[in-house]
Amino acid sequence: MISSLLNRASGSLPQHAFATAQTSRLVHALQAAPQVQFDGRRREREPEPEPGRSPTSVSPATDETSGARPCAQRDGVNTIVIDPFEGRLHMLNGWGAPGAPLRDDDSLLSGGADGSIVLWDLEEAAAATRPAGAGRPPALLHRPLGWVSKGAGGHRFGITHLSMYPFDSGAFLSSSYDHRLQVYATATMAVSASFDLDSVVYGHAMSAVAEHVLVACATQHPVVRLVDLRSGASTHSLAGHAGAVLSVAWAPRHPHLLCSAGVDGTARLWDIRRAAGHLAVLDQDQTVSIGRSGSGSATATTTRNRTHDGPVNGVLWTTTDGGGGSGGSGGGAELLVTTGHDQRMRVWDARSRANTLANFGPLLINASFASLLPVIAPAALLPPARNLLFYPNPAEILVFDLLEGTLRKRLVVPAVAAAAAVSAVSVPAPARRNAHARTTALAWRPHAVELYSAHTDGRIRAWCPRTREEMELDADEAEEADDADDAGDAGDAGDAGDAGDAGDADEARDGHGHGHGAGGGGGGRRGGRESRKRRALDEIYRDLTTRGVTFT
């Protein structure tokens, strides 16, 4: 760090290279942040809905006075999504009370297994629920900004997928096991449109670069349903799968290209302008480029290919330069990532449809029909061709090199709690059934180095960077606090002499007093050394970052 600052100050290290080095360091330093908590429990007084508006109360995890641990959604969190438009979410205070000011928030949406949807503000947190202790920062408690309860205008069964409207955070979409796709107005959390697709909707997706507003839906029927938000109708279906479709994803640079994955073990590419069926099937045995016609469509396809040796319940379309969500025409390669029940994750060259043969090892676990989507860290935070992929394993998050498949780190999900935490007193029955805290979804916070994960125990966990220097300073502070506690204990023992012979008691008290004084002096000297060490480091950083450089 110091050498990088010196090189930047001398001009030998460009500013962008210095910034990338520091952000890459932070990404690799991600760790669990248990002090960040999401609490969806009942407050003392719930807001009353306005006339004509759907009730907005969520089934609480427990009452706040019960002493239970904070829980985002009692029956488990199935999916989460973070608003990609920083500072553009306008949420009305007081649920649209007259004259209420608009707020600009960086927000997170969570969908529960009970059908409820909760909106959280990531910028604001309640006051610390516990004081900072030895090596332990104070807790930051996030409260719901708004919510939609089960039924009463919301979904009747569990949420399968949430997504923000790609052109404005004023709306978001949800799909559910109740066969419906719904569009909500974010400011009021009211339903704007609802579509009954007559089958379970496992997931949905909208293109961020297209002029059309088609929503591709992965349904229990063996077709991809396309819903037009302008006309409010299901325009047409893409038939080709031999079973339920579990996941869909649009191309990041081509508005009419779509990829779908299903229980038949295939991932299929579609051009929605064509009526002749799918363009191609990703074949796990195809490792070289296939010829393509001048129009960009494949010259030949086959229906016997298999993408995975089992159902494919995740497909992600991305680019190596991070242009996947911006619609830019960057020079990075387009990649497809698929996950399957054969406990494999494969990376594909989207242009040639070739399997890159990236090997992610034997640690992957995937057994659910719900969509299982990894998250890729923004390419702008990392050096070129060093993309990192985060995979949601049941009790951990695995960090891989996207292109090589090398395991970089294992982020272990903190234990739910000890036996007392899973007792009937502290945790409701649904959460006890999900006490293993299986990871269901991941979301990266744009414009920051933060990762969030959803779990079946009803909690949303945050993952924030902690560098080696920060951990060393925390350890020093913890040691200093322990020394202070030990000194205090010694003082208490010195003051607690037993009654007896006056001379012996005085002598005993004097002896304890001397011992206490010596121990206190040693703790004070050590604390002074640690404080001086911190001050010295702060002065070094301040001098390096503020000192001017003169060239002669």
Side-chain angles (χ1 to χ4, degrees), residues 25-47:
R25 180 168 169 262
L26 293 176
V27 172
H28 285 85
L30 283 175
Q31 293 189 15
Q35 73 275 12
V36 180
Q37 301 175 0
F38 293 78
D39 189 359
R41 296 175 295 176
R42 186 191 302 274
R43 302 190 185 189
E44 294 181 0
R45 180 179 181 275
E46 295 181 352

Side-chain angles (χ1 to χ4, degrees), residues 385-478:
R386 290 292 183 267
N387 305 77
L388 291 182
L389 179 145
F390 295 79
Y391 181 88
N393 241 22
E396 62 185 353
I397 299 174
L398 304 179
V399 186
F400 293 100
D401 185 293
L402 173 63
L403 301 179
E404 299 177 0
T406 306
L407 179 65
R408 297 298 184 186
K409 195 172 185 179
R410 300 178 71 170
L411 302 175
V412 179
V413 175
V416 174
V422 294
S423 65
V425 176
S426 60
V427 177
R432 291 202 305 275
R433 292 194 297 268
N434 297 323
H436 293 297
R438 180 173 63 87
T439 307
T440 56
L442 300 176
W444 188 276
R445 183 177 180 181
H447 320 292
V449 185
E450 294 177 11
L451 181 71
Y452 292 84
S453 58
H455 302 270
T456 55
D457 66 346
R459 300 184 69 181
I460 300 173
R461 291 177 168 86
W463 306 82
C464 302
R466 284 177 56 82
T467 62
R468 183 177 59 183
E469 291 82 355
E470 291 174 336
M471 289 187 288
E472 290 176 353
L473 289 175
D474 289 343
D476 291 342
E477 291 178 354

Side-chain angles (χ1 to χ4, degrees), residues 184-385:
Y184 292 83
T186 311
T188 60
M189 299 293 284
V191 177
S192 300
S194 181
F195 305 89
D196 190 348
L197 302 183
D198 297 322
S199 62
V200 173
V201 186
Y202 290 107
H204 64 269
M206 287 189 70
S207 174
V209 298
E211 294 182 358
H212 61 72
V213 285
L214 296 177
V215 184
C217 299
T219 70
Q220 195 173 21
H221 287 167
V223 295
V224 179
R225 298 284 294 274
L226 297 179
V227 177
D228 190 341
L229 296 184
R230 285 198 181 101
S231 65
S234 178
T235 56
H236 60 284
S237 302
L238 305 176
H241 284 281
V245 183
L246 302 178
S247 184
V248 288
W250 291 90
R253 295 173 181 157
H254 308 285
H256 301 100
L257 292 185
L258 177 72
C259 184
S260 63
V263 297
D264 58 359
T266 66
R268 299 170 185 262
L269 299 177
W270 310 83
D271 186 334
I272 61 172
R273 299 167 297 183
R274 291 167 44 109
H278 60 267
L279 291 174
V281 176
L282 298 181
D283 183 3
Q284 60 182 304
D285 297 324
Q286 180 65 48
T287 59
V288 297
S289 175
I290 305 177
R292 302 175 71 86
S293 65
S295 62
S297 60
T299 57
T301 62
T302 174
T303 58
R304 296 191 300 271
N305 301 338
R306 297 266 295 180
T307 307
H308 287 266
D309 296 325
V312 186
N313 62 338
V315 57
L316 177 67
W317 207 320
T318 185
T319 60
T320 56
D321 64 353
S326 63
S329 56
E334 289 190 41
L335 301 175
L336 279 159
V337 181
T338 58
T339 58
H341 282 201
D342 57 358
Q343 318 307 321
R344 294 288 185 269
M345 180 163 54
R346 294 190 168 92
V347 179
W348 311 80
D349 185 326
R351 182 175 180 80
S352 65
R353 307 191 304 278
N355 183 359
T356 65
L357 298 180
N359 184 5
F360 294 92
L363 298 177
L364 306 183
I365 299 176
N366 185 357
S368 172
F369 278 104
S371 294
L372 188 69
L373 299 174
V375 163
I376 298 175
L381 301 178
L382 300 164

